[in-house]
Amino acid sequence: MRIIGTGRAHPSKIVTNAMLEQFLDTNDEWIKTRTGIAERRVISSEKLEDLATEAALKAIADAGLTPKDIDYIICSNVVSEYITPGLSCIVQGAIGARCACVDINVACSGFVYALDMADDRIKSGKAQNILVVAAEEPSRMVDWSDRSLCVLFGDGAGAVVVSHGEGMICSRLTTESKTDCLYYVRNLEPTPYITKEEYGAPMYMNGKEVFKTAVLSSSRDIKRLLDKAGLHPADIKYYVLHQANMRIIEAIANWLKLDMSYFPHNVDYCGNTSSASIPLLLDELAKGGKLQKGDKILMSAFGAGFTTGACIIEWTK
Ligand code: ACO
């Protein structure tokens, strides 16, 4: 597959660190030093489906297609207002496409998993033009009185359209069932027969454990992919990494012995937007004229599960 169009949508509400200081025992210096985040964009009056639709329509237009040309939609999403139907079904109706749709929940690694699935589907000849949308609202998963979590996240939607071509060089997906360091459990409806204890609560994260696992697993994936592709670290134009924390990105840059110019970022003004972070950044690079035909881009993400997804693509647009 190759990427032929990109799009993104941000919520209108910008929440600065100073705004958080008004109701949390926190400060700009702590947040910036520990995370690199200065502000985040969070959903207020809009709905996640509106952002997903906007990003999708922009990606389709950028690809020079219409929604009728899309023959499969993959939506990466952890939570939205709907448990069912899937966000992909809602987006399909909103953009006026007629095709099969599927949602996947691979936490922050979801966009790379979706690209890998799209690559398989195109290789098998089952689809021509696939819309991949990653739309996330992690701001709705955290307790906004918990300073250790709510400062980290932002919302948004990024989309790409992929079609037949030679853009995917290699990919690597991993899953290691490790459910105790990052989770969000919701209560379901009660029934007359439920006797077990229910324990729905806002998101829980063991930050130090996730930090360590993220740096190690992402570095391992990057090394494996570079070896597989026969590339040196500096052969990659940009490392488009999951935007969870600037310190994680800097640790990976140090490990690769590359300067930060290889590591574009949006975590400083978007916060951690889960699986939307990579396509948001990709669209920003593409629309900002930073990508040239032939550039190699390495994407690497990690998330709850514990899951990781990484791939090297060639920019062919
Ligand atoms: N403002 C001020 N103080 C704070 C805040 C805050 N917002 N949050 C926590 N603190 C305090 C703590 O209470 C603690 O105080 P204490 O020493 O008196 O107990 C102190 O700061 C240190 O807290 P730590 O949790 O040890 O801070 P740490 O340096 O580990 O940084 C952080 C925390 C930023 C969460 C870090 O561990 C991290 O980035 N982890 C990775 C998170 C991540 O990548 N998550 C995403 C992965 S998956 C996904 O994207 C959903």
Side-chain angles (χ1 to χ4, degrees), residues 26 30 34 108 147-148 182 205 207-208 242 244-245 248 272:
T26 190
W30 191 98
R34 306 279 177 135
C108 307
R147 65 177 184 175
S148 69
L182 179 54
M205 179 171 73
K208 284 194 193 319
H242 172 44
N245 184 314
I248 295 178
N272 177 348

Side-chain angles (χ1 to χ4, degrees), residues 15-195:
V15 178
T16 62
N17 293 343
M19 288 161 78
L20 296 177
E21 284 175 18
Q22 289 164 16
F23 62 93
L24 284 172
D25 179 15
T26 190
N27 56 77
D28 181 54
E29 203 257 331
W30 191 98
I31 301 174
K32 277 199 190 132
T33 314
R34 306 279 177 135
T35 71
I37 299 169
E39 58 189 39
R40 70 286 292 141
R41 280 132 177 81
V42 302
I43 279 184
S44 53
S45 53
E46 58 279 267
K47 285 170 167 260
L48 186 64
E49 62 205 63
D50 300 333
L51 298 182
T53 300
E54 184 185 334
L57 286 172
K58 284 178 175 166
I60 294 168
D62 189 41
L65 300 177
T66 71
K68 301 276 180 294
D69 299 315
I70 299 297
D71 47 20
Y72 200 63
I73 299 176
I74 307 173
C75 190
S76 164
N77 171 249
V78 177
V79 290
S80 74
E81 283 176 41
Y82 286 87
I83 300 282
T84 191
L87 197 52
S88 57
C89 303
I90 298 172
V91 170
Q92 189 232 43
I95 67 175
R98 288 192 228 304
C99 59
C101 303
V102 65
D103 274 33
I104 63 167
N105 178 350
V106 201
C108 307
S109 309
F111 178 72
V112 181
Y113 271 72
L115 269 193
D116 188 74
M117 285 169 68
D119 187 42
D120 286 346
R121 201 160 178 89
I122 284 183
K123 270 191 196 133
S124 71
K126 287 185 174 167
Q128 292 292 317
N129 301 307
I130 301 181
L131 171 68
V132 174
V133 189
E136 303 282 14
E137 47 183 339
S139 74
R140 305 297 306 276
M141 295 161 64
V142 293
D143 173 358
W144 278 77
S145 65
D146 177 357
R147 65 177 184 175
S148 69
L149 273 186
C150 70
V151 305
L152 304 177
F153 295 97
D155 308 322
V160 298
V161 174
V162 307
S163 194
H164 191 268
E166 302 295 316
M168 177 67 96
I169 297 174
C170 53
S171 64
R172 175 181 159 82
L173 309 178
T174 76
T175 303
E176 181 194 354
S177 181
K178 194 172 177 180
T179 53
D180 58 348
C181 63
L182 179 54
Y183 57 82
Y184 172 45
V185 181
R186 280 200 280 184
N187 283 340
L188 302 180
E189 300 304 317
T191 81
Y193 313 108
I194 290 292
T195 52

Side-chain angles (χ1 to χ4, degrees), residues 279-305:
L280 282 171
L281 192 51
L282 197 62
D283 182 58
E284 203 177 313
L285 291 170
K287 301 284 163 59
K290 301 269 174 61
L291 301 178
Q292 263 86 50
K293 210 171 175 169
D295 284 347
K296 294 190 174 53
I297 299 165
L298 194 152
M299 306 180 201
S300 175
F302 52 86

